[in-house]
């Protein structure tokens, strides 16, 4: 699958983790993690911390799948607002999903700190704008239910929004719990941290083609004909995980992102908030550590990479126009643009855990706009399960919830 095209900023900003190590022999190990993106890296981190012997296998250059294209905004708000999610999965499960999402932002920060990875992690506020007056009703309902469940949120009317954030819009929900980071630096940094400590085996350019369930685990077959025997497999294969699933659980989409040239720090908007809107197609914006503005959205309901790439120029113009509607006086000169595959699930929640009846294959599928925070939750749930600890969050994100 062609996960992204164009020029994702992170691949240019960071030095490439130039690691070439295809598997050239058969291997026996306790846990194999398929995928070296942010999900695989976080799973590896949690397993190494728990003293579990593991290897990460990737068919590409390390962490160059969706992770390299991510705009990496970390928000506790999930694609489906809590006031709507409660009708899909029940209020209890929905509010617990939101709480777990909130906690995961702090956990990502902790993981980066304990492994001394500099991934430009920065706490920022999050502003969810009502694009139209009619959307205020949704924000009011959402404000009410989030307040009821003790989630951090405040309501800004149009005057407060103009005064505090210099935005002309009917109103917004705000919280100060969001963050942003460089996802590629985080993933490659974590993997290198554990490689250096000799706690992890890492194989690039090694594709898993087939797998066979054995009584005591799995036997995986690589494209070069080598076998890997393990007790457990963790599928952290991102939007390409469909090949390991008995049934399709997500819808693949296309999304677009661009980054501006750096501007003077004083020209950036107040608090450098993450800003996103109620309207469809989706629009969002953030800043980077070198004072660029990164904006994205304009999702399309298909995954075909040729069709997706054909629209890139048109989407750049549309995204720029959306930006100027919010901040007409900030100069935005496009420097790099890219597009990528994205996905969503019916209830807005990821899939984490084993497929019913297959107890040794764990899925860590952080589908949706909160892919990274979901990756953190998946890593903890899987590490807990493999260490024999019960994790109450497993039932929120498990496959059983939709069966
Ligand atoms: C433009 C864009 C903006 C985004 N913005 C945000 C955001 O603001 N906030 C957020 O939380 N999320 C965001 N996301 C989503 C987020 O980036 C993803 O959820 C996350 O990067 C997925 O990480 P991953 O490790 O699961 O997948 P990937 O990074 O794709 O890694 C999976 C790896 O598995 C490997 N693989 C697959 N199949 C096999 C196989 N058979 N054998 C060996 N290896 C295999 C692939 O080569 C790949 O490297 C965005 C995504 C895009 C594209």
């Amino acid at each position: 699958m062609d996960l992204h095209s164009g020029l994702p900023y992170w691949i240019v900003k960071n030095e490439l983790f130039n690691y070439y190590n295809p598997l050239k022999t058969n291997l026996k190990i306790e846990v194999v993690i398929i995928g070296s993106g942010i999900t695989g890296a976080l799973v590896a981190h949690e397993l190494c911390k728990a003293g579990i012997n593991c290897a990460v296998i990737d068919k590409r250059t390390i962490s160059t799948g969706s992770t390299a294209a991510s705009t990496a905004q970390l928000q506790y708000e999930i694609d489906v607002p809590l006031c709507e999610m409660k009708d899909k999965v029940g209020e209890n499960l929905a509010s617990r999903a939101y709480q777990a999402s909130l906690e995961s932002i702090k956990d990502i920060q902790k993981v980066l700190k304990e492994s001394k990875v500099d991934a430009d992690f920065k706490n920022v506020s999050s502003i969810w704008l009502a694009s139209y007056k009619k959307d205020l009703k949704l924000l009011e309902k959402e404000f009410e239910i989030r307040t009821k469940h003790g989630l951090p949120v405040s309501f800004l009317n149009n005057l407060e929004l103009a005064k505090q954030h210099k935005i002309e819009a009917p109103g917004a929900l705000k919280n100060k719990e969001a963050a942003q980071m460089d996802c590629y630096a985080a993933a490659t940094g974590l993997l290198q941290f554990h490689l250096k400590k000799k706690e992890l085996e890492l194989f690039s350019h090694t594709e898993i083609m087939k797998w066979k369930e054995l009584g005591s685990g799995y036997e995986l077959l690589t494209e070069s004909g080598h076998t890997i025997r393990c007790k457990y497999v963790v599928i952290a294969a991102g939007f390409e995980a469909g090949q390991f699933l008995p049934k399709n659980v997500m819808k693949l989409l296309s999304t677009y992102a661009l980054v501006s040239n750096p501007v003077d720090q004083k020209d950036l908007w107040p608090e450098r908030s993450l800003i996103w809107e109620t309207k469809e197609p989706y629009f969002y914006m953030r800043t980077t550590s070198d004072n660029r503005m990164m904006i994205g959205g304009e999702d399309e309901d298909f995954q075909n990479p040729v069709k997706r790439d054909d629209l890139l120029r048109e989407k750049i113009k549309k995204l720029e126009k959306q930006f100027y509607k919010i901040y007409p006086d900030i100069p935005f000169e496009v420097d790099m643009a890219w597009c990528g595959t994205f996905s969503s699930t019916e209830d807005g929640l990821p899939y984490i855990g084993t497929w019913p009846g297959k107890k040794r294959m764990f899925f860590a599928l952080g589908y949706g706009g909160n892919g990274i925070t979901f990756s953190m939750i998946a890593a903890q749930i899987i590490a807990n399960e493999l260490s024999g600890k019960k994790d109450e969050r497993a039932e929120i994100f498990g496959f059983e919830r939709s069966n």
Side-chain angles (χ1 to χ4, degrees):
M1 192 184 288
D2 194 356
L3 288 172
H4 54 80
S5 37
L7 194 53
Y9 164 69
W10 309 113
I11 296 200
V12 183
K13 176 194 171 251
N14 289 288
E15 198 179 317
L16 182 76
F17 176 29
N18 203 359
Y19 184 88
Y20 182 75
N21 186 29
L23 181 69
K24 289 187 180 145
T25 54
N26 294 339
L27 179 74
K28 212 171 161 193
I29 194 139
E30 200 173 346
V31 182
V32 167
I33 302 163
I34 303 176
S36 69
I38 189 64
T39 313
L42 286 167
V43 173
H45 176 76
E46 293 299 322
L47 296 191
C48 288
K49 230 168 74 176
I52 299 170
N53 192 231
C54 59
V56 170
I57 313 278
D58 203 301
K59 64 182 179 181
R60 292 188 170 82
T61 296
I62 299 303
S63 310
T64 54
S66 307
T67 293
S70 183
T71 52
Q73 302 175 131
L74 308 177
Q75 289 166 281
Y76 83 77
E77 292 113 323
I78 300 172
D79 288 353
V80 176
L82 181 54
C83 64
E84 291 171 10
M85 192 186 286
K86 77 173 188 356
D87 299 328
K88 295 178 186 284
V89 299
E91 189 161 335
N92 179 278
L93 226 64
S95 75
R96 285 166 59 203
Y98 266 70
Q99 295 288 358
S101 189
L102 177 64
E103 281 308 306
S104 70
I105 300 172
K106 293 179 204 133
D107 292 341
I108 291 173
Q109 184 173 21
K110 213 169 108 202
V111 164
L112 295 174
K113 203 169 164 200
E114 70 198 11
S115 47
K116 298 178 191 64
V117 172
D118 179 6
D120 285 349
F121 183 99
K122 186 178 167 58
N123 288 110
V124 281
S125 50
S126 161
I127 312 283
W128 188 27
L129 292 180
S131 309
Y132 311 103
K133 251 193 182 148
K134 67 174 174 51
D135 299 340
L136 285 173
K137 260 201 188 109
L138 168 66
L139 295 198
E140 280 159 12
K141 264 172 76 179
E142 185 65 9
F143 175 73
E144 196 180 311
I145 191 164
R146 283 203 219 162
T147 308
K148 176 179 161 192
H149 289 282
L151 290 160
V153 64
S154 57
F155 191 96
L156 303 183
N157 64 27
N158 59 336
L159 298 175
E160 291 163 327
L161 196 54
K163 191 166 170 222
Q164 293 174 31
H165 294 279
K166 300 189 184 157
I167 299 174
E168 300 279 333
L173 292 189
K174 176 175 178 181
N175 74 77
K176 294 186 176 168
E177 307 298 324
Q180 62 187 34
M181 68 171 183
D182 171 342
C183 198
Y184 177 77
T188 52
L190 284 172
L191 293 169
Q192 289 179 85
F193 175 76
H194 292 290
L195 262 185
K196 274 190 199 134
K197 288 177 81 183
K198 303 201 184 318
E199 295 170 332
L200 177 70
E201 297 207 46
L202 180 63
F203 299 97
S204 67
H205 303 89
T206 302
E207 182 165 5
I208 303 299
M209 305 296 285
K210 288 186 182 160
W211 51 96
K212 193 163 72 185
E213 207 175 342
L214 309 171
S216 56
Y218 274 88
E219 183 178 83
L220 311 175
L221 184 71
T222 70
E223 91 285 14
S224 57
H226 295 108
T227 57
I228 309 175
R229 283 200 171 204
C230 56
K231 284 193 194 153
Y232 298 96
V233 187
V234 179
I235 308 296
F239 305 132
E240 294 169 316
Q243 62 187 298
F244 300 98
L245 282 162
K247 198 174 98 184
N248 187 20
V249 292
M250 78 292 200
K251 194 165 143 202
L252 293 177
L253 315 164
S254 294
T255 190
Y256 300 83
L258 41 117
V259 72
S260 74
N261 283 325
V263 293
D264 202 301
Q265 193 167 341
K266 69 173 174 22
D267 288 336
L268 291 171
W269 56 87
E271 296 178 24
R272 291 174 169 241
S273 312
L274 308 184
I275 300 173
W276 47 300
E277 289 204 55
T278 50
K279 76 177 167 200
E280 305 252 350
Y282 193 60
F283 176 74
Y284 59 83
M285 50 204 264
R286 58 164 280 188
T287 61
T288 63
S289 60
D290 58 350
N291 297 333
R292 292 168 188 264
M293 296 167 277
M294 187 176 275
I295 65 178
E298 277 293 323
D299 296 2
E300 287 287 345
D301 212 7
F302 59 78
Q303 187 260 325
N304 179 325
V306 178
K307 229 167 114 185
R308 177 190 77 198
D309 297 357
D310 280 350
L311 288 175
L312 184 57
R313 277 178 193 283
E314 186 186 312
K315 293 294 186 181
I316 292 174
K317 286 208 183 87
K318 284 191 171 158
L319 287 169
E320 268 186 290
K321 211 166 143 190
Q322 305 248 40
F323 174 82
Y324 281 124
K325 271 194 192 155
I326 299 179
Y327 285 121
D329 299 325
I330 302 182
F332 191 106
E333 286 169 12
V334 180
D335 194 14
M336 292 163 230
W338 62 99
C339 40
T341 297
F342 201 58
S343 90
S344 65
T345 59
E346 223 286 300
D347 54 18
L349 296 178
Y351 285 99
I352 300 169
T354 54
W355 190 267
K358 292 199 179 299
K359 289 290 168 216
R360 288 176 180 271
M361 184 179 273
F362 286 87
F363 289 87
L365 311 179
Y367 297 144
N370 299 64
I372 302 166
T373 46
F374 291 154
S375 302
M376 183 71 253
I377 298 171
Q380 292 166 330
I381 292 179
I382 293 168
N384 280 336
E385 300 237 339
L386 290 180
S387 311
K389 294 182 202 152
K390 188 170 166 53
D391 193 316
E392 301 289 341
R393 295 168 297 178
E395 66 166 349
I396 311 173
F397 304 109
F399 288 99
E400 283 90 347
R401 72 172 192 272
S402 49
N403 287 340

